[in-house]
Amino acid sequence: MPRLLVLFSKTDVMKFIGHLDLLTLFQRAINRAGLPVRYSQGFNPHQKVGFAAPLPLGVEGLNEVAEITLEKYCEPYDAALSLAKQMPRHLFIKDARMAEEYEKKSAALACAAKYKIRPREGEETEVTLNLAGGLKQYMKEFKIPDYTYVSRIELLRKTESGLVPLYQIYKGNNHES
Amino acid sequence: MAYPDYCLAAVEKPGRYIGNEINIARKNVEDIDIRFAFCFPDVYEIGMSHMGLQIMYALLNERADTYCERSFAPWTDMEIILRQKNIPLLALETGDPLSLFDFIGFTLQYELCYTNVLNMLDLAGIPLFSSQRDEKAPIICAGGSCAVNPEPMADFIDFFYIGDGEACINDILDIYKANKFNHGTKREFLRNIRNVPGIYVPVLFDDSQDGSSKKTEKAFVSDLDSSYFPKSYITPLIETVQDRVSVEVFRGCIRGCRFCQAGYIYRPVRERSLETLIKQADDLIKTTGQEEISMLSLSASDYIHCNELITALTQKLSPIHVNVSLPSLRIDKVSLELMSKAGEIRKSGLTFAPEAGSQRMRDIINKGITEEEILRGIRQAFESGRNRIKLYFMIGLPYETEEDILAIPALAERVLDQFFSIPKDKRPKNGANISISVSCFVPKPFTPFQWVGQDTLETFRAKQNLIKRNLNRKIRFSYHDAEQSIIEAALARGDRKSGQAIYNAWKNGARFDGWSEKFSYIRWVESFTQTEIDFYAHRERTSDEVLPWDHIDVGVSKRFLIKEYNQAKSAQITPNCRESCGGCGIEGCIYA
Ligand code: SF4
């Protein structure tokens, strides 16, 4: 089945929309855009849509990845455009591409992320943390208050040449984390 | 402006306060003449589930000269922060403070939200009493079903709009605009609208002539099929209570259950045609992308084209994975088949509302259904594979005896017997899951029971216990808080003096009284007095008493209500309107 990878950002008030609500938002946008999304089989069919990694409530995401399984191939650029038209403000569709067949699901590939943290005005750090609780631990260790501005700049995956942006294609190099 | 991040980051559900949803109106404030804030006095998730809000929002925003925005009651965590940081209540679209608006319109859907109305005004920095508001303050108006008895809220509201929202709202705005253009005062505006159908202006009401001053007739859409309906609904970004779009199949009801206010104040029945409903459903599904659509009415089975509607919608919508849901169906073979068709088979639960346990009691309340019909419906439900049955009952109904109460657990037991009388291979494998939910009767204005004295707290509790003691252990039992129902009754039939009690309750911290965890009975007893609660809730009124809502005319005659109350006394049924007209006095009825 063809899979569409969608690169998007979620900023401003949209950072207050949680993971499950974001999923519903995407599903409804897909319906309105009329994308040929694939549904699961069974009693309660649902769209096959997912995200590379949930974003904590209140954290911005600049390069997030959604993965949509389609019934049939469609031109990624057109799909991105029609989806972009259906999104609320502050949720920008930046790009889309088809996943290569050999590529694992992005949720399986994403293992770390680069964050920008601003505990105080004028004081800003960039850190790379693992996705398995790395941010929480960091905030705790450095006693950073909960409502601090945090932005997830980039989701990362592991390759032979180290951590690289998740959304990029690595031809012929399918090393998994 | 919008709520600052530090505010939103500190509350449990920030998504309630950010707006930015799909299909909201975006306008340039400089280009418009009238700013209208549609306020729902409960949390976002409840308010956004309300169809009336969607219709009025779209209707007002159709006007190029008007910008309608929304605001909801902030949950208590948000209120604390807003008060601490001195941030006023904002409208969701522009993020502007409510105090800048021309109109603030509340919809009053249940009495227990009254303190939220006061709280929202206060958070907006607007004086609560209309007498304390100057020319600069927004005009505060209120509509919704509770507005049929406007008196309890009359001290706070500049004008009430009684009846169908679509009917006359544009006239009001036109008059407002003309008045503004002519530099007229607020008082002049109120005087100019007082003769528009449905409008009640408390400060202009002269009650000295006891009932002889002009009555307010409800605003009324005579042709629902051609009345305004939006092409799109606002699609929320967070999950709401009714997370689906809905269309209204018909307004009004032919049944005339004597406890049901909606059954009287929305008379007569006005239907939408099949074509219109299919078109509306199609539009909404396309513009919202939502995956469930609900067919709203007070009693769906009474729609003549119910079967065709479901067939057509299912054919159209199930290939695109949209579910059709049908609340308020009478449960019988036909409707079970309809539900299966609509794909509701995967929901194993069904609800029935016999309302009373004994036939005598069901006749008293004019719930035209027999025990045989109930049991047959339930048997068919079991046979069709459903095993979760919930039965709704009411206690505290007029002329109720101990026998009538005992008939509730007895009926529930016979429902269980039905299950076991079905051969093992024909009934659901996982056993029967039966529960009963018992609420406390609240007498409401404009019903035949508007004169009834409500049961006391002790009586309600005794009746609840009686049911509990006599109920089969296999049947689950839940009941509504009698304390809330008593305050609801006191407010529903309150008068001008009740406003002070509402104010006191709010002052003493009452918020979200409809939420049992926030409700405090003691607080309300202290805000009223016990004597007043007895006076408004528990006292039986005589039919010659002047009622606080007598100056409102919903179209159903008082004579008819008295006749119905007498019929109840002798457990006489009144046939439904389609069978024969009972002569309620409403104008424009197709069945009369
Ligand atoms: S006029 Fe007759 S048929 Fe029409 S609502 Fe009244 S009682 Fe029913």
Side-chain angles (χ1 to χ4, degrees), chain B residues 443-465:
Chain B
K444 291 276 166 98
F446 299 108
T447 65
F449 292 162
Q450 63 179 350
W451 296 276
V452 172
Q454 194 191 30
D455 273 354
T456 60
L457 193 54
E458 295 68 43
T459 314
F460 274 133
R461 296 229 160 114
K463 287 177 178 176
Q464 286 165 345
N465 281 328

PDB file of all heavy atoms in Angstrom, chain B residues 443-465:
ATOM      1  N   PRO B 443     -41.223  19.845  37.930  1.00  0.00           N
ATOM      2  CA  PRO B 443     -42.338  20.496  37.235  1.00  0.00           C
ATOM      3  C   PRO B 443     -41.844  21.733  36.473  1.00  0.00           C
ATOM      4  O   PRO B 443     -41.081  22.520  37.026  1.00  0.00           O
ATOM      5  CB  PRO B 443     -43.284  20.910  38.361  1.00  0.00           C
ATOM      6  CG  PRO B 443     -42.701  20.410  39.625  1.00  0.00           C
ATOM      7  CD  PRO B 443     -41.306  19.967  39.383  1.00  0.00           C
ATOM      8  N   LYS B 444     -42.294  21.872  35.231  1.00  0.00           N
ATOM      9  CA  LYS B 444     -41.809  22.961  34.389  1.00  0.00           C
ATOM     10  C   LYS B 444     -42.957  23.837  33.881  1.00  0.00           C
ATOM     11  O   LYS B 444     -44.060  23.338  33.624  1.00  0.00           O
ATOM     12  CB  LYS B 444     -41.072  22.385  33.177  1.00  0.00           C
ATOM     13  CG  LYS B 444     -39.741  21.703  33.510  1.00  0.00           C
ATOM     14  CD  LYS B 444     -38.604  22.707  33.600  1.00  0.00           C
ATOM     15  CE  LYS B 444     -37.358  22.163  34.231  1.00  0.00           C
ATOM     16  NZ  LYS B 444     -36.329  21.718  33.311  1.00  0.00           N
ATOM     17  N   PRO B 445     -42.685  25.128  33.686  1.00  0.00           N
ATOM     18  CA  PRO B 445     -43.700  26.019  33.132  1.00  0.00           C
ATOM     19  C   PRO B 445     -44.194  25.530  31.775  1.00  0.00           C
ATOM     20  O   PRO B 445     -43.445  24.889  31.038  1.00  0.00           O
ATOM     21  CB  PRO B 445     -42.953  27.345  32.953  1.00  0.00           C
ATOM     22  CG  PRO B 445     -41.830  27.291  33.914  1.00  0.00           C
ATOM     23  CD  PRO B 445     -41.445  25.849  34.013  1.00  0.00           C
ATOM     24  N   PHE B 446     -45.439  25.855  31.478  1.00  0.00           N
ATOM     25  CA  PHE B 446     -46.075  25.522  30.199  1.00  0.00           C
ATOM     26  C   PHE B 446     -46.257  24.033  29.970  1.00  0.00           C
ATOM     27  O   PHE B 446     -46.332  23.573  28.835  1.00  0.00           O
ATOM     28  CB  PHE B 446     -45.334  26.170  29.014  1.00  0.00           C
ATOM     29  CG  PHE B 446     -45.332  27.668  29.090  1.00  0.00           C
ATOM     30  CD1 PHE B 446     -44.177  28.359  29.393  1.00  0.00           C
ATOM     31  CD2 PHE B 446     -46.512  28.377  28.894  1.00  0.00           C
ATOM     32  CE1 PHE B 446     -44.188  29.750  29.500  1.00  0.00           C
ATOM     33  CE2 PHE B 446     -46.533  29.761  28.995  1.00  0.00           C
ATOM     34  CZ  PHE B 446     -45.362  30.445  29.301  1.00  0.00           C
ATOM     35  N   THR B 447     -46.300  23.270  31.052  1.00  0.00           N
ATOM     36  CA  THR B 447     -46.698  21.875  30.943  1.00  0.00           C
ATOM     37  C   THR B 447     -47.959  21.715  31.796  1.00  0.00           C
ATOM     38  O   THR B 447     -48.226  22.544  32.674  1.00  0.00           O
ATOM     39  CB  THR B 447     -45.618  20.923  31.503  1.00  0.00           C
ATOM     40  OG1 THR B 447     -45.493  21.147  32.914  1.00  0.00           O
ATOM     41  CG2 THR B 447     -44.277  21.159  30.835  1.00  0.00           C
ATOM     42  N   PRO B 448     -48.721  20.648  31.570  1.00  0.00           N
ATOM     43  CA  PRO B 448     -49.901  20.422  32.408  1.00  0.00           C
ATOM     44  C   PRO B 448     -49.532  20.227  33.880  1.00  0.00           C
ATOM     45  O   PRO B 448     -50.382  20.337  34.745  1.00  0.00           O
ATOM     46  CB  PRO B 448     -50.487  19.128  31.826  1.00  0.00           C
ATOM     47  CG  PRO B 448     -49.997  19.077  30.421  1.00  0.00           C
ATOM     48  CD  PRO B 448     -48.635  19.684  30.456  1.00  0.00           C
ATOM     49  N   PHE B 449     -48.278  19.944  34.152  1.00  0.00           N
ATOM     50  CA  PHE B 449     -47.838  19.734  35.535  1.00  0.00           C
ATOM     51  C   PHE B 449     -47.185  20.976  36.142  1.00  0.00           C
ATOM     52  O   PHE B 449     -46.491  20.900  37.146  1.00  0.00           O
ATOM     53  CB  PHE B 449     -46.864  18.550  35.610  1.00  0.00           C
ATOM     54  CG  PHE B 449     -47.505  17.211  35.313  1.00  0.00           C
ATOM     55  CD1 PHE B 449     -46.720  16.107  34.974  1.00  0.00           C
ATOM     56  CD2 PHE B 449     -48.884  17.041  35.384  1.00  0.00           C
ATOM     57  CE1 PHE B 449     -47.303  14.870  34.703  1.00  0.00           C
ATOM     58  CE2 PHE B 449     -49.478  15.804  35.100  1.00  0.00           C
ATOM     59  CZ  PHE B 449     -48.683  14.721  34.761  1.00  0.00           C
ATOM     60  N   GLN B 450     -47.409  22.127  35.525  1.00  0.00           N
ATOM     61  CA  GLN B 450     -46.751  23.339  36.020  1.00  0.00           C
ATOM     62  C   GLN B 450     -47.245  23.770  37.399  1.00  0.00           C
ATOM     63  O   GLN B 450     -46.614  24.564  38.064  1.00  0.00           O
ATOM     64  CB  GLN B 450     -46.922  24.490  35.028  1.00  0.00           C
ATOM     65  CG  GLN B 450     -48.359  24.924  34.803  1.00  0.00           C
ATOM     66  CD  GLN B 450     -48.469  26.100  33.823  1.00  0.00           C
ATOM     67  OE1 GLN B 450     -47.466  26.701  33.458  1.00  0.00           O
ATOM     68  NE2 GLN B 450     -49.674  26.424  33.409  1.00  0.00           N
ATOM     69  N   TRP B 451     -48.363  23.196  37.823  1.00  0.00           N
ATOM     70  CA  TRP B 451     -48.908  23.561  39.135  1.00  0.00           C
ATOM     71  C   TRP B 451     -48.469  22.600  40.250  1.00  0.00           C
ATOM     72  O   TRP B 451     -48.730  22.824  41.410  1.00  0.00           O
ATOM     73  CB  TRP B 451     -50.449  23.566  39.083  1.00  0.00           C
ATOM     74  CG  TRP B 451     -51.000  24.603  38.169  1.00  0.00           C
ATOM     75  CD1 TRP B 451     -51.211  25.916  38.470  1.00  0.00           C
ATOM     76  CD2 TRP B 451     -51.427  24.442  36.805  1.00  0.00           C
ATOM     77  NE1 TRP B 451     -51.733  26.575  37.381  1.00  0.00           N
ATOM     78  CE2 TRP B 451     -51.880  25.704  36.351  1.00  0.00           C
ATOM     79  CE3 TRP B 451     -51.473  23.358  35.927  1.00  0.00           C
ATOM     80  CZ2 TRP B 451     -52.373  25.909  35.054  1.00  0.00           C
ATOM     81  CZ3 TRP B 451     -51.951  23.558  34.639  1.00  0.00           C
ATOM     82  CH2 TRP B 451     -52.398  24.811  34.212  1.00  0.00           C
ATOM     83  N   VAL B 452     -47.840  21.501  39.854  1.00  0.00           N
ATOM     84  CA  VAL B 452     -47.578  20.401  40.786  1.00  0.00           C
ATOM     85  C   VAL B 452     -46.530  20.783  41.831  1.00  0.00           C
ATOM     86  O   VAL B 452     -45.510  21.388  41.515  1.00  0.00           O
ATOM     87  CB  VAL B 452     -47.098  19.155  40.002  1.00  0.00           C
ATOM     88  CG1 VAL B 452     -46.618  18.059  40.947  1.00  0.00           C
ATOM     89  CG2 VAL B 452     -48.219  18.644  39.108  1.00  0.00           C
ATOM     90  N   GLY B 453     -46.791  20.406  43.075  1.00  0.00           N
ATOM     91  CA  GLY B 453     -45.791  20.582  44.128  1.00  0.00           C
ATOM     92  C   GLY B 453     -44.772  19.461  44.030  1.00  0.00           C
ATOM     93  O   GLY B 453     -45.132  18.288  43.992  1.00  0.00           O
ATOM     94  N   GLN B 454     -43.493  19.834  43.957  1.00  0.00           N
ATOM     95  CA  GLN B 454     -42.469  18.806  43.811  1.00  0.00           C
ATOM     96  C   GLN B 454     -42.262  18.071  45.129  1.00  0.00           C
ATOM     97  O   GLN B 454     -42.446  18.641  46.207  1.00  0.00           O
ATOM     98  CB  GLN B 454     -41.158  19.470  43.367  1.00  0.00           C
ATOM     99  CG  GLN B 454     -40.126  18.480  42.864  1.00  0.00           C
ATOM    100  CD  GLN B 454     -38.753  19.116  42.695  1.00  0.00           C
ATOM    101  OE1 GLN B 454     -38.408  20.062  43.412  1.00  0.00           O
ATOM    102  NE2 GLN B 454     -37.972  18.620  41.755  1.00  0.00           N
ATOM    103  N   ASP B 455     -41.871  16.816  45.061  1.00  0.00           N
ATOM    104  CA  ASP B 455     -41.547  16.040  46.266  1.00  0.00           C
ATOM    105  C   ASP B 455     -40.441  16.727  47.062  1.00  0.00           C
ATOM    106  O   ASP B 455     -39.602  17.429  46.499  1.00  0.00           O
ATOM    107  CB  ASP B 455     -41.036  14.647  45.870  1.00  0.00           C
ATOM    108  CG  ASP B 455     -42.181  13.650  45.699  1.00  0.00           C
ATOM    109  OD1 ASP B 455     -43.335  14.017  45.991  1.00  0.00           O
ATOM    110  OD2 ASP B 455     -41.906  12.518  45.262  1.00  0.00           O
ATOM    111  N   THR B 456     -40.437  16.474  48.363  1.00  0.00           N
ATOM    112  CA  THR B 456     -39.354  17.004  49.191  1.00  0.00           C
ATOM    113  C   THR B 456     -38.138  16.085  49.075  1.00  0.00           C
ATOM    114  O   THR B 456     -38.228  14.966  48.570  1.00  0.00           O
ATOM    115  CB  THR B 456     -39.764  17.047  50.669  1.00  0.00           C
ATOM    116  OG1 THR B 456     -40.059  15.710  51.074  1.00  0.00           O
ATOM    117  CG2 THR B 456     -40.969  17.940  50.884  1.00  0.00           C
ATOM    118  N   LEU B 457     -37.039  16.580  49.580  1.00  0.00           N
ATOM    119  CA  LEU B 457     -35.789  15.811  49.558  1.00  0.00           C
ATOM    120  C   LEU B 457     -35.971  14.462  50.240  1.00  0.00           C
ATOM    121  O   LEU B 457     -35.562  13.413  49.711  1.00  0.00           O
ATOM    122  CB  LEU B 457     -34.708  16.633  50.270  1.00  0.00           C
ATOM    123  CG  LEU B 457     -33.262  16.183  50.112  1.00  0.00           C
ATOM    124  CD1 LEU B 457     -32.888  16.067  48.644  1.00  0.00           C
ATOM    125  CD2 LEU B 457     -32.340  17.182  50.816  1.00  0.00           C
ATOM    126  N   GLU B 458     -36.655  14.484  51.401  1.00  0.00           N
ATOM    127  CA  GLU B 458     -36.854  13.251  52.166  1.00  0.00           C
ATOM    128  C   GLU B 458     -37.675  12.250  51.361  1.00  0.00           C
ATOM    129  O   GLU B 458     -37.358  11.055  51.322  1.00  0.00           O
ATOM    130  CB  GLU B 458     -37.569  13.535  53.497  1.00  0.00           C
ATOM    131  CG  GLU B 458     -36.805  14.393  54.488  1.00  0.00           C
ATOM    132  CD  GLU B 458     -36.634  15.833  54.028  1.00  0.00           C
ATOM    133  OE1 GLU B 458     -37.620  16.415  53.499  1.00  0.00           O
ATOM    134  OE2 GLU B 458     -35.519  16.379  54.161  1.00  0.00           O
ATOM    135  N   THR B 459     -38.740  12.748  50.716  1.00  0.00           N
ATOM    136  CA  THR B 459     -39.595  11.838  49.939  1.00  0.00           C
ATOM    137  C   THR B 459     -38.817  11.239  48.772  1.00  0.00           C
ATOM    138  O   THR B 459     -38.903  10.037  48.515  1.00  0.00           O
ATOM    139  CB  THR B 459     -40.830  12.598  49.414  1.00  0.00           C
ATOM    140  OG1 THR B 459     -41.362  13.362  50.490  1.00  0.00           O
ATOM    141  CG2 THR B 459     -41.875  11.656  48.887  1.00  0.00           C
ATOM    142  N   PHE B 460     -38.081  12.077  48.069  1.00  0.00           N
ATOM    143  CA  PHE B 460     -37.277  11.571  46.955  1.00  0.00           C
ATOM    144  C   PHE B 460     -36.337  10.466  47.442  1.00  0.00           C
ATOM    145  O   PHE B 460     -36.223   9.402  46.840  1.00  0.00           O
ATOM    146  CB  PHE B 460     -36.446  12.687  46.319  1.00  0.00           C
ATOM    147  CG  PHE B 460     -37.163  13.469  45.255  1.00  0.00           C
ATOM    148  CD1 PHE B 460     -37.131  14.857  45.246  1.00  0.00           C
ATOM    149  CD2 PHE B 460     -37.856  12.811  44.235  1.00  0.00           C
ATOM    150  CE1 PHE B 460     -37.774  15.589  44.248  1.00  0.00           C
ATOM    151  CE2 PHE B 460     -38.496  13.540  43.228  1.00  0.00           C
ATOM    152  CZ  PHE B 460     -38.461  14.926  43.250  1.00  0.00           C
ATOM    153  N   ARG B 461     -35.665  10.731  48.570  1.00  0.00           N
ATOM    154  CA  ARG B 461     -34.685   9.765  49.080  1.00  0.00           C
ATOM    155  C   ARG B 461     -35.370   8.475  49.488  1.00  0.00           C
ATOM    156  O   ARG B 461     -34.862   7.377  49.226  1.00  0.00           O
ATOM    157  CB  ARG B 461     -33.942  10.369  50.272  1.00  0.00           C
ATOM    158  CG  ARG B 461     -33.131  11.591  49.858  1.00  0.00           C
ATOM    159  CD  ARG B 461     -31.715  11.531  50.375  1.00  0.00           C
ATOM    160  NE  ARG B 461     -30.875  12.422  49.590  1.00  0.00           N
ATOM    161  CZ  ARG B 461     -30.275  13.525  50.061  1.00  0.00           C
ATOM    162  NH1 ARG B 461     -30.413  13.851  51.336  1.00  0.00           N
ATOM    163  NH2 ARG B 461     -29.522  14.256  49.273  1.00  0.00           N
ATOM    164  N   ALA B 462     -36.543   8.601  50.109  1.00  0.00           N
ATOM    165  CA  ALA B 462     -37.273   7.402  50.534  1.00  0.00           C
ATOM    166  C   ALA B 462     -37.651   6.570  49.311  1.00  0.00           C
ATOM    167  O   ALA B 462     -37.547   5.341  49.309  1.00  0.00           O
ATOM    168  CB  ALA B 462     -38.512   7.798  51.320  1.00  0.00           C
ATOM    169  N   LYS B 463     -38.076   7.255  48.254  1.00  0.00           N
ATOM    170  CA  LYS B 463     -38.477   6.544  47.039  1.00  0.00           C
ATOM    171  C   LYS B 463     -37.267   5.875  46.381  1.00  0.00           C
ATOM    172  O   LYS B 463     -37.371   4.749  45.892  1.00  0.00           O
ATOM    173  CB  LYS B 463     -39.165   7.503  46.063  1.00  0.00           C
ATOM    174  CG  LYS B 463     -40.568   7.903  46.525  1.00  0.00           C
ATOM    175  CD  LYS B 463     -41.219   8.917  45.599  1.00  0.00           C
ATOM    176  CE  LYS B 463     -42.647   9.237  46.082  1.00  0.00           C
ATOM    177  NZ  LYS B 463     -43.287  10.289  45.279  1.00  0.00           N
ATOM    178  N   GLN B 464     -36.152   6.569  46.377  1.00  0.00           N
ATOM    179  CA  GLN B 464     -34.934   5.972  45.818  1.00  0.00           C
ATOM    180  C   GLN B 464     -34.560   4.709  46.589  1.00  0.00           C
ATOM    181  O   GLN B 464     -34.206   3.680  46.001  1.00  0.00           O
ATOM    182  CB  GLN B 464     -33.771   6.978  45.861  1.00  0.00           C
ATOM    183  CG  GLN B 464     -33.893   8.089  44.823  1.00  0.00           C
ATOM    184  CD  GLN B 464     -32.964   9.260  45.083  1.00  0.00           C
ATOM    185  OE1 GLN B 464     -32.403   9.398  46.173  1.00  0.00           O
ATOM    186  NE2 GLN B 464     -32.807  10.124  44.084  1.00  0.00           N
ATOM    187  N   ASN B 465     -34.661   4.792  47.926  1.00  0.00           N
ATOM    188  CA  ASN B 465     -34.323   3.632  48.753  1.00  0.00           C
ATOM    189  C   ASN B 465     -35.271   2.467  48.523  1.00  0.00           C
ATOM    190  O   ASN B 465     -34.854   1.307  48.498  1.00  0.00           O
ATOM    191  CB  ASN B 465     -34.328   4.011  50.234  1.00  0.00           C
ATOM    192  CG  ASN B 465     -33.049   4.738  50.590  1.00  0.00           C
ATOM    193  OD1 ASN B 465     -32.002   4.467  50.001  1.00  0.00           O
ATOM    194  ND2 ASN B 465     -33.134   5.668  51.516  1.00  0.00           N
TER     195      ASN B 465
END
